[in-house]
Amino acid sequence: MTKPLILFACGSPLIVEYEEICLKNAVPLHAIVNNVDTPSAHPEAIPLAQFDVAIAKNTAFLVPLFTPRNRFTAVQQALQLGLTPYGLLSDRLNDLPAVFAHGVGCFINKRVVIGAHSKLGDFVTINRAAALGHHFVAEDFVSIGPGVVTGGNVTVKRGALIGTGAVILPGKTIGQHAIVSAGAVVTKDVPDYAVVAGNPARSFKTNIHDF
């Protein structure tokens, strides 16, 4: 039987979808923990301050948040509580390659397609209906938004965020902690910390956040 899972950082309104994917994969939920001040969308969520850590030591956790920086913070909180990262949770209807490497703490939402020989680092989130080409690489704490499309041989470096509906042409690299805005069309490499938007995507400011 699969070990119970703690869904962590459930201020996200998508918590019901995350719970549904757990059920599809026959992954029992130990608890749903809310680590943020925003009220949870789930009626059974436990505020972090009230969470009984003693009964959850070494229990696996997953942080299916969208923003890399928030997910990084939540991961550190969970590790400090003595929890252990879950491997990969993916909707059963996703189209994943036979040759597929991934780290821990990864979450793949519904209707996602990933091409052959792709690789995910640790704590990567891929949101619904993304279509990622062959030899796609996402480093640690990358967030891929809903409906993102990439060509083959695209690399997204640590902590970068790709917004809803963005398109990345084949062979391009998105730098560390860069942000590709929703709907952008990336036709050339994006530098570290750049924020790009438009078609073709152009840099208009710097993402000063780091972790």
Side-chain angles (χ1 to χ4, degrees):
M1 181 178 177
T2 305
K3 293 182 178 180
L5 175 64
I6 294 173
L7 283 182
F8 206 77
C10 62
S12 169
L14 295 176
I15 187 62
V16 176
E17 287 195 18
Y18 303 151
E19 183 180 30
E20 177 186 327
I21 292 175
C22 286
L23 293 174
K24 284 184 179 179
N25 286 274
V27 175
L29 285 178
H30 177 89
I32 299 173
V33 178
N34 191 17
N35 78 316
V36 295
D37 294 333
T38 305
S40 172
H42 197 288
E44 298 179 7
I46 303 169
L48 181 59
Q50 300 174 20
F51 181 55
D52 188 353
V53 179
I55 64 171
K57 289 287 185 182
N58 299 317
T59 302
F61 73 91
L62 188 71
V63 183
L65 279 174
F66 182 58
T67 307
R69 184 172 179 83
N70 290 347
R71 192 161 66 254
F72 177 82
T73 299
V75 165
Q76 302 314 305
Q77 290 174 327
L79 292 173
Q80 289 168 8
L81 293 175
L83 307 179
T84 58
Y86 194 78
L88 171 72
L89 184 63
S90 171
D91 188 87
R92 286 184 175 275
L93 298 180
N94 288 333
D95 186 355
L96 305 184
V99 180
F100 180 56
H102 63 82
V104 298
C106 296
F107 176 79
I108 304 177
N109 210 328
K110 302 174 181 178
R111 301 197 304 276
V112 170
V113 178
I114 300 179
H117 304 288
S118 294
K119 182 178 180 180
L120 306 183
D122 295 336
F123 305 106
V124 171
T125 292
I126 301 175
N127 229 306
R128 59 166 60 227
L132 311 175
H134 63 87
H135 294 88
F136 174 80
V137 175
E139 296 183 355
D140 300 348
F141 292 100
V142 160
S143 287
I144 305 296
V148 168
V149 177
T150 77
N153 293 292
V154 166
T155 297
V156 183
K157 293 191 173 181
R158 178 184 171 90
L161 185 153
I162 314 299
T164 301
V167 176
I168 304 174
L169 297 191
K172 306 310 172 193
T173 296
I174 309 301
Q176 293 187 56
H177 308 290
I179 296 175
V180 176
S181 299
V185 178
V186 176
T187 60
K188 59 184 180 180
D189 292 349
V190 174
D192 295 349
Y193 299 96
V195 181
V196 302
N199 179 8
R202 293 183 175 87
S203 178
F204 66 96
K205 69 176 183 177
T206 299
N207 175 27
I208 61 173
H209 298 297
D210 194 4
F211 49 82

